Amino acid sequence: MKTFFTSLLGLCLLAATSCQSTKPSISKEVIPNDTRAQEMKDMKFGMFICWSLSTFSGKEWTGEELPVEFFRATECDTDQWARTAKEAGMNYIYFLTKHHDGFCLWDTKTTDFKITNAPLGKDVMAMLRKSCDKYGIKLGIYFSEGDWNWPEAERGKGGRGGNNPEVKKAQLKELLTEYGPIELIWFDHATGDGGLSHAETTRWVHQFQPNCFVGYNHGEPSGRLCLREMGKPGRLGDSEASKYNKEQEANYNGYLVAEFTYPLLPPHQGGAMWFYSLPKHDNLCHPASKIYEDYLKAVEYENIFSVNIGPDYKGRIRDIDVKTLQEVGTMIKENNK
């Protein structure tokens, strides 16, 4: 009997250890700035994924109050996302976890307005974490600081995302403690800071992941990552490389690395740009030659370059995007860049 219980205890401990080992570890050991900055620069090229309510509204900002079922996807292929990134020569993916509309793409405890209550019923952030690990891709996140569901918000209005600092902190804590190492956070200040300043937000992030690089697309400068939304490659401190962050880049001395991003979908009439647009735009895409040229400039200036992709209604990257990115990956490999 003693042997039986000893064996049973051993199996339970083994199972517990096995479960714990599947969760990506998060180091609290602080990496020196120079070393960590070089690690970021070495990432070079990555994918920025926007998939949320605006995928289905056909608009960049979805300001109206909507039921959770509005996000009507029933499929999602995060393996395709990570595999495409790998084939493109990319080293990281950062994922839109929450846009201004407040719809959360992870299984948050802070609201019922989340992906696990939508028809898909799955934690996409958790799925992507597994897919990134499978293909050797690092993971980062996009996070809108404001939320049109919060007190004092005005739906659809820029700079009017309301204030709810405790919920903002709770959501960031979930993302930073439950989904493994987060390489970078791309904070969107378009609807305000949510009642928690950028300095406070950066400190909060580093409490859980001190090596995470934090950036804000505009507003109060903070963090080590200079964001150039719709920007271009250029040396760090070159304000002409930024569109919305010019003054911050010119005057703030805390930046260690610059990132620039724009959509693979070129400008067009009607529909969204950062998200999947409309089926009639399915053949629109920047050429691989343009992406490769900007990649080379990013490497030259030690920037990191994030190409934005909008998965479609079925949670898959468009065929034309996959083909284009595969061509870029071939160019990078053949030229050993």
Side-chain angles (χ1 to χ4, degrees):
M1 184 65 72
K2 181 178 180 181
T3 303
F4 170 78
F5 282 114
T6 302
S7 300
L8 184 61
L9 177 62
L11 286 171
C12 290
L13 290 171
L14 181 61
T17 302
S18 176
C19 289
Q20 290 172 358
S21 65
T22 61
K23 187 174 183 179
S25 61
I26 302 170
S27 175
K28 287 291 188 74
E29 181 181 352
V30 179
I31 299 173
N33 266 339
D34 289 350
T35 302
R36 184 61 183 139
Q38 189 59 53
E39 289 176 352
M40 292 296 293
K41 294 172 186 177
D42 289 345
M43 294 201 309
K44 298 180 182 177
F45 187 36
M47 183 182 289
F48 173 16
I49 294 176
C50 289
W51 196 53
S52 190
L53 298 189
S54 289
T55 303
F56 299 97
S57 73
K59 299 181 296 185
E60 211 70 71
W61 285 12
T62 306
E64 58 268 41
E65 187 172 359
L66 295 166
V68 72
E69 294 81 12
F70 184 81
F71 187 86
R72 63 180 185 268
T74 57
E75 305 171 51
C76 179
D77 193 348
T78 57
D79 268 8
Q80 187 226 19
W81 302 354
R83 183 173 63 251
T84 300
K86 192 71 173 180
E87 292 169 347
M90 293 171 164
N91 297 301
Y92 65 93
I93 288 174
Y94 64 91
F95 177 57
L96 182 146
T97 56
K98 186 195 73 168
H99 204 228
H100 318 321
D101 49 62
F103 181 69
C104 295
L105 276 292
W106 77 100
D107 191 21
T108 181
K109 296 179 178 64
T110 64
T111 178
D112 290 331
F113 197 48
K114 60 182 179 177
I115 190 73
T116 46
N117 288 336
L120 182 64
K122 296 178 181 178
D123 185 333
V124 179
M125 182 68 179
M127 292 168 62
L128 183 56
R129 172 82 266 174
K130 290 180 181 178
S131 295
C132 284
D133 291 344
K134 178 179 178 179
Y135 287 96
I137 299 292
K138 296 182 184 298
L139 182 60
I141 62 173
Y142 161 106
F143 185 91
S144 173
E145 297 187 84
D147 186 322
W148 287 320
N149 300 291
W150 287 351
E152 302 170 48
E154 290 185 35
R155 288 193 168 276
K157 301 289 186 180
R160 301 297 298 170
N163 293 298
N164 206 331
E166 293 309 311
V167 170
K168 179 182 175 182
K169 288 165 68 176
Q171 290 182 342
L172 288 171
K173 182 179 180 180
E174 288 177 344
L175 291 165
L176 290 162
T177 59
E178 297 177 17
Y179 296 93
I182 302 299
E183 300 296 323
L184 59 86
I185 301 183
W186 204 104
F187 280 111
D188 194 338
H189 184 62
T191 55
D193 62 18
L196 191 73
S197 74
H198 290 176
E200 292 172 303
T201 300
T202 300
R203 286 194 294 271
W204 181 254
V205 169
H206 288 160
Q207 178 178 330
F208 304 103
Q209 293 203 34
N211 301 311
C212 179
F213 259 47
V214 173
Y216 304 83
N217 61 342
H218 46 74
E220 173 198 356
S222 183
R224 295 173 286 184
L225 184 64
C226 176
L227 298 184
R228 297 169 175 167
E229 178 185 357
M230 296 298 288
K232 61 185 181 181
R235 63 175 177 77
L236 186 63
D238 178 7
S239 62
E240 292 306 307
S242 285
K243 183 175 182 179
Y244 304 107
N245 225 10
K246 291 181 180 294
E247 183 178 344
Q248 293 88 332
E249 181 156 5
N251 299 310
Y252 175 64
N253 61 10
Y255 294 136
L256 299 180
V257 179
E259 179 261 12
F260 68 98
T261 183
Y262 57 77
L264 191 53
L265 183 68
H268 56 276
Q269 290 295 318
M273 181 177 291
W274 293 92
F275 296 86
Y276 179 76
S277 186
L278 296 167
K280 68 180 182 180
H281 298 136
D282 277 352
N283 292 320
L284 292 180
C285 186
H286 281 303
S289 56
K290 170 181 171 53
I291 304 303
Y292 182 62
E293 181 180 345
D294 281 337
Y295 167 83
L296 292 178
K297 292 282 184 63
V299 172
E300 177 185 346
Y301 290 115
E302 295 188 295
N303 302 156
I304 59 175
F305 173 28
S306 309
V307 174
N308 166 254
I309 303 291
D312 64 16
Y313 305 141
K314 294 184 177 180
R316 290 183 58 82
I317 297 173
R318 302 182 310 163
D319 291 343
I320 193 169
D321 295 340
V322 172
K323 181 177 181 293
T324 300
L325 291 175
Q326 286 173 338
E327 290 175 9
V328 175
T330 298
M331 293 176 189
I332 292 171
K333 187 174 181 180
E334 288 180 347
N335 294 287
N336 196 28
K337 294 296 184 179

